[in-house]
Amino acid sequence: MQNDPSFEPAAPAHHRPASQRSRPVRRKKMSTLTKTLMWVGSGLLALILIGVLLTSLLRGGEESASEVPATDYLILTSSDVSNRVRVEGYVSPGTVESVTTHLTSPISSVTVEPGDRVELGQTLATIDASALQGELDSQRTTLDGQVTSAQSALTAAQGAYDNYSAGINNGTNPDILAAQGAQRTANEQLTVANDDLSALREALATSGNDPALATEVRAAESAQRIAAGAKADADTGITTARSAADTQLATLATELETARSALTTAQTTRDQALQKLQDDINSATISSPINGVVMNVAKPGAPATGPVVTIGDDSKLTITTKVREADIASIKEGNKVTFTSGSTGSKEYTGTVTSVASIADSVQQSDSEAAGAPAGSSDPTFTVEIEVTGDREGLQLGSSVKAQIITAEEASTLSLPLDAVYTTDADTKAVVVAVPTDSGGYTLEERSVETGLANDVDVAVTGGDVAEGDMVLTPGEKYRSQLGQNVTLGSGMSW
């Protein structure tokens, strides 16, 4: 019984319960079939393990190759590399017109609201013109009366001149007529004196120088001289009368011209004053000077002392932005710009730099800087104007924008992230490339590169031993120590 493998020695009697001490416990005997199956299973398991080991050895240990995450490699492709200055600003109209009026009367009504689109000549607002209309009516009455008075004065002056001129021309001028009458009388008296003197002289000669006749002759000679003097005075009187008449006619002509000028002045004064008042009344209706969008309006009832309506001409859109002193030197007129707007999400728009300020936006002086050196902010800003080009759909006036001013660019060139490039011990630039193997894996190799334009993110590839389609690892410095090793590339989204 002790040689029977199925026999299990009984526990000492003093350790077993009394109920079990009377018969021994036996283990169940394993069948021959069961033993055979166990031996076959053990053999198959050993064969499988050997196969796995041999397969691993035949593949050169590729199953143990390290995996490169998808985020650490990229497929080299052509793209644009550029240097950019990031700025912020707001969309503004190209031209802003503040519509004002010289009238100070209250605003009666405003017919537009901010955001309305208006056209050239469209009515925008009206000003209370009732006081102006009353002033126009009052001024018309007064000024018309002044013109009437001036017209009457001109008529009187014209009549006086015409009558006096006619008197001279038709010989009815009283002064000239009186002078002519005096001349006729003087002529007659001289004729009589001459005749008397001649007769007395003949008588004296006939009498043989009669003393009495001689006395009469002397008296006649005196009378003749007096008559000749009167004749000369009368002739002078004619000339004087005609000259006086001409002078009077000239005076009347001057008075006529003065009256005519006074009438013209009265008419001009009236017309200008009334026209101004009428223009003021007409200007009480305010119209749009341009096509555009209403940006701001004044409140009805308030005096029109400032802009009544502000209109933006959005046929051209601009962006005004501030650029830091460190970046302003790289920005030039004509630089391309890309930007997004807060009102349109991720949609990208384009623009062009049109103006770059040469003076900082603000320069302050401290009290102690008498020489005028800049003080205050240690980071001055400069204003840059950008004109929106291309598609403008969705842009709103006043919307905020985030823009990138492209200061340098290499288009359609191979480019790499900056971290992909490292400097070799030979002081050259290189990258790590994953080269496919026949077994489906990759081997890491070092390839030289030549670089060009770079920014904060990527760098242009201008030459070297890389080509479009190469698998480049990033960052290169990280995988530099694994050159020559086999790797696998993880799935997922790479660069």
Side-chain angles (χ1 to χ4, degrees):
M1 294 294 291
Q2 293 179 352
N3 295 327
D4 189 347
S6 63
F7 175 76
E8 180 180 342
H14 60 277
H15 289 158
R16 288 183 294 171
S19 60
Q20 296 181 2
R21 292 176 186 170
S22 59
R23 62 186 213 188
V25 177
R26 294 179 180 270
R27 198 188 321 176
K28 187 177 179 181
K29 187 175 182 180
M30 183 181 297
S31 68
T32 303
L33 178 61
T34 300
K35 293 179 180 180
T36 302
L37 290 176
M38 288 181 64
W39 279 108
V40 171
S42 298
L44 289 175
L45 179 59
L47 290 175
I48 290 173
L49 291 174
I50 293 171
V52 170
L53 179 59
L54 290 175
T55 301
S56 177
L57 292 174
L58 290 174
R59 294 184 59 183
E62 288 187 357
E63 264 58 7
S64 63
S66 62
E67 181 181 87
V68 176
T71 55
D72 278 5
Y73 69 89
L74 59 80
I75 301 174
L76 191 58
T77 59
S78 295
S79 62
D80 297 339
V81 178
S82 59
N83 286 340
R84 300 169 180 249
V85 175
R86 291 173 173 79
V87 295
E88 297 181 355
Y90 295 89
V91 178
S92 303
T95 303
V96 176
E97 289 280 351
S98 294
V99 185
T100 62
T101 176
H102 63 280
L103 305 179
T104 57
S105 302
I107 301 172
S108 296
S109 64
V110 178
T111 59
V112 293
E113 297 180 353
D116 288 350
R117 183 165 292 280
V118 296
E119 298 180 353
L120 175 66
Q122 179 177 336
T123 298
L124 304 175
T126 57
I127 309 298
D128 184 1
S130 58
L132 291 173
Q133 186 61 53
E135 179 67 14
L136 176 63
D137 296 340
S138 175
Q139 288 285 348
R140 180 178 285 112
T141 299
T142 300
L143 296 173
D144 282 348
Q146 293 176 357
V147 170
T148 300
S149 297
Q151 183 65 62
S152 298
L154 175 61
T155 300
Q158 186 69 58
Y161 176 83
D162 291 343
N163 290 336
Y164 200 84
S165 178
I168 293 174
N169 294 331
N170 60 23
T172 60
N173 183 274
D175 294 333
I176 296 177
L177 286 176
Q180 289 174 341
Q183 185 185 48
R184 285 193 299 271
T185 299
N187 287 337
E188 291 174 354
Q189 290 177 350
L190 179 59
T191 298
V192 171
N194 286 333
D195 291 345
D196 288 347
L197 179 59
S198 295
L200 287 172
R201 284 177 176 172
E202 289 178 0
L204 179 61
T206 302
S207 66
N209 291 324
D210 182 2
L213 288 174
T215 300
E216 290 181 6
V217 168
R218 288 192 294 274
E221 288 175 346
S222 177
Q224 191 272 342
R225 288 194 295 272
I226 293 173
K231 167 67 168 62
D233 290 341
D235 290 342
T236 300
I238 287 293
T239 302
T240 301
R242 291 186 182 279
S243 178
D246 290 342
T247 300
Q248 180 61 23
L249 184 63
T251 299
L252 292 174
T254 299
E255 292 176 352
L256 175 60
E257 191 60 34
T258 299
R260 184 177 287 113
S261 178
L263 175 60
T264 300
T265 299
Q267 291 173 331
T268 301
T269 300
R270 177 196 62 184
D271 294 345
Q272 290 179 345
L274 297 183
Q275 186 61 50
K276 182 180 182 304
L277 288 169
Q278 187 61 57
D279 289 344
D280 288 346
I281 293 173
N282 294 340
S283 67
T285 299
I286 298 177
S287 302
S288 176
I290 58 173
N291 297 328
V293 177
V294 176
M295 301 178 65
N296 192 23
V297 298
K299 183 179 180 181
T305 55
V308 179
V309 179
T310 302
I311 301 173
D313 179 4
D314 61 346
S315 61
K316 180 174 74 173
L317 297 181
T318 61
I319 298 169
T320 301
T321 186
K322 307 295 183 183
V323 177
R324 298 178 306 168
E325 183 179 23
D327 296 324
I328 194 64
S330 63
I331 298 176
K332 302 292 185 293
E333 291 185 12
N335 284 159
K336 295 180 181 180
V337 179
T338 61
F339 67 93
T340 58
S341 169
S343 61
T344 56
S346 61
K347 181 177 180 180
E348 188 170 83
Y349 298 89
T350 60
T352 302
V353 174
T354 57
S355 174
V356 180
S358 59
I359 302 175
D361 296 318
S362 61
V363 177
Q364 300 179 354
Q365 292 182 339
S366 66
D367 294 339
S368 60
E369 290 175 323
S377 174
S378 60
D379 188 15
T381 60
F382 294 77
T383 298
V384 172
E385 296 285 344
I386 300 168
E387 181 178 344
V388 177
T389 58
D391 179 27
R392 309 188 320 172
E393 184 178 358
L395 287 179
Q396 302 292 332
L397 293 179
S399 292
S400 62
V401 300
K402 293 184 177 180
Q404 298 184 64
I405 301 174
I406 303 173
T407 58
E409 183 175 30
E410 288 191 20
S412 300
T413 183
L414 295 178
S415 64
L416 288 168
L418 287 177
D419 289 346
V421 182
Y422 61 88
T423 302
T424 68
D425 295 338
D427 201 26
T428 60
K429 294 181 179 179
V431 295
V432 177
V433 176
V435 180
T437 63
D438 294 338
S439 60
Y442 294 86
T443 300
L444 300 185
E445 294 184 5
E446 183 177 79
R447 300 283 179 85
S448 65
V449 293
E450 296 175 4
T451 59
L453 181 66
N455 54 37
D456 294 338
V457 178
D458 50 15
V459 61
V461 177
T462 59
D465 295 331
V466 294
E468 188 168 359
D470 283 348
M471 294 283 189
V472 180
L473 274 62
T474 60
E477 192 69 41
K478 172 182 176 181
Y479 292 96
R480 181 182 178 186
S481 61
Q482 301 179 37
L483 292 173
Q485 294 185 12
N486 294 324
V487 297
T488 60
L489 299 183
S491 61
M493 183 173 292
S494 62
W495 283 64

